[in-house]
């Protein structure tokens, strides 16, 4: 398929980040990755992308001017392939297809805050550290702190499973068990016996497959 110009189809905003920054704080990948962006209508484009776990937006490096930009017209994108991983992009952010049988999606999130500023005598100012990431964004997505100015203090996942033709979302075990309420006791015992961590994607996939087999 002939490569299209990404910026002609996607409205973008410029981001003031240094391209030399690797191991990006608060991003899904440790650097910008080669990806194939599949558009609705069977068009596609090869891009270097990364996903921001803090603001839930997809960023890419424009090959024409080498600037980092943000994707906003996500409704034009069908899915994004990064290596052998597939991601859907919608108003809720980017979700990875982590299983096809059953169909399960995972959305990765992070929370961060501005690092404490340097105080006198080598100390730090706790006032700065209490400011949330969301409060530091300018207009929502067009300018934000550099990775070395943010500290990530937690990660959490959200999941969706397709059941009876609908996507059922769960962000905790109680919500998952409600989806399979007829097997509440078996599922609670399975979670306990296997000491499942909710942030362990592979364990959640096995839990879903177990529930589907009951």
């Amino acid at each position: 398929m002939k490569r299209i110009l990404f910026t002609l189809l996607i409205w973008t905003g410029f981001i003031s980040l240094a391209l030399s920054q690797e191991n990006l704080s608060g991003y899904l990948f440790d650097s910008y990755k080669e990806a194939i962006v599949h558009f609705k209508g069977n068009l596609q484009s090869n891009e270097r992308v990364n996903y921001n776990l803090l603001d839930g937006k997809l960023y890419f490096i424009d090959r024409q001017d080498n600037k980092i930009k943000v994707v906003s017209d996500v409704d034009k994108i069908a899915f994004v392939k990064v290596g052998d991983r597939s991601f859907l992009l919608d108003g809720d952010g980017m979700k990875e297809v982590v299983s096809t049988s059953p169909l399960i999606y995972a959305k990765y999130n992070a929370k961060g805050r501005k690092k404490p500023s340097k105080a006198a005598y080598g100390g730090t100012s706790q006032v700065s550290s209490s400011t949330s990431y969301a409060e530091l964004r300018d207009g929502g997505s067009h300018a934000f702190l550099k990775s070395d100015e943010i500290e990530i203090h937690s990660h959490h996942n959200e999941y969706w499973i397709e059941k009876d033709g609908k996507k059922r979302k769960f962000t905790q075990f109680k919500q998952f068990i409600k989806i399979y309420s007829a097997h509440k006791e078996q599922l609670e015992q399975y979670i306990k016996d296997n000491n499942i961590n909710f942030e362990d994607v592979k364990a959640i996939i096995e839990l879903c497959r177990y529930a589907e087999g009951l």
Side-chain angles (χ1 to χ4, degrees):
M1 181 68 66
K2 184 178 179 181
R3 184 183 183 275
I4 60 171
L5 184 59
F6 194 46
T7 50
L8 290 179
L9 290 184
I10 300 294
W11 182 91
T12 59
F14 292 92
I15 307 299
S16 56
L17 286 179
L19 296 186
S20 61
Q21 284 183 282
E22 301 295 337
N23 299 316
L24 299 176
S25 175
Y27 278 76
L28 180 59
F29 306 116
D30 59 2
S31 62
Y32 279 76
K33 300 295 185 182
E34 293 292 338
I36 302 176
V37 180
H38 294 262
F39 295 90
K40 296 172 182 176
N42 297 320
L43 295 174
Q44 67 183 47
S45 182
N46 297 322
E47 304 296 336
R48 289 175 61 196
V49 306
N50 210 338
Y51 179 68
N52 191 310
L53 301 173
L54 292 161
D55 65 13
K57 294 184 182 297
L58 182 67
Y59 294 85
F60 70 100
I61 298 176
D62 192 324
R63 296 184 187 275
Q64 287 197 318
D65 57 20
N66 209 39
K67 294 183 182 296
I68 295 178
K69 299 180 181 180
V70 61
V71 174
S72 67
D73 287 346
V74 296
D75 59 316
K76 296 178 181 178
I77 296 177
F79 63 97
V80 178
K81 288 281 291 185
V82 180
D84 60 356
R85 302 172 70 177
S86 296
F87 299 86
L88 302 181
L89 195 63
D90 58 26
D92 291 327
M94 194 162 76
K95 305 178 183 71
E96 181 175 10
V97 180
V98 295
S99 170
T100 56
S101 182
L103 193 52
I104 304 169
Y105 309 89
K107 180 175 180 286
Y108 311 108
N109 307 283
K111 290 184 179 180
R113 60 171 63 90
K114 183 179 179 181
K115 289 181 179 179
S117 59
K118 296 284 184 176
Y121 309 108
T124 59
S125 169
Q126 294 303 316
V127 175
S128 297
S129 64
S130 66
T131 307
S132 71
Y133 178 86
E135 292 170 337
L136 295 164
R137 287 185 289 164
D138 177 16
S141 65
H142 290 267
F144 55 91
L145 295 174
K146 295 179 180 180
S147 62
D148 59 359
E149 296 174 337
I150 298 173
E151 57 184 9
I152 305 301
H153 59 77
S154 66
H155 290 84
H156 64 284
N157 298 340
E158 299 173 89
Y159 302 95
W160 287 258
I161 183 168
E162 288 210 0
K163 189 171 178 59
D164 302 323
K166 296 181 180 179
K167 288 188 179 72
R168 305 290 298 275
K169 180 179 179 180
F170 56 100
T171 59
Q172 54 183 274
F173 287 123
K174 287 184 179 180
Q175 292 177 342
F176 175 78
I177 291 173
K178 284 184 179 180
I179 299 174
Y180 299 92
S181 57
H183 306 288
K184 181 176 183 292
E185 292 183 2
Q186 295 102 310
L187 291 174
E188 287 179 338
Q189 192 63 47
Y190 180 92
I191 292 169
K192 180 180 178 180
D193 290 345
N194 291 276
N195 193 27
I196 296 178
N197 180 349
F198 195 81
E199 310 309 325
D200 185 337
V201 176
K202 290 183 178 180
I204 294 298
I205 293 172
E206 292 304 314
L207 172 63
C208 291
R209 289 174 177 169
Y210 173 77
E212 285 288 300
L214 293 175

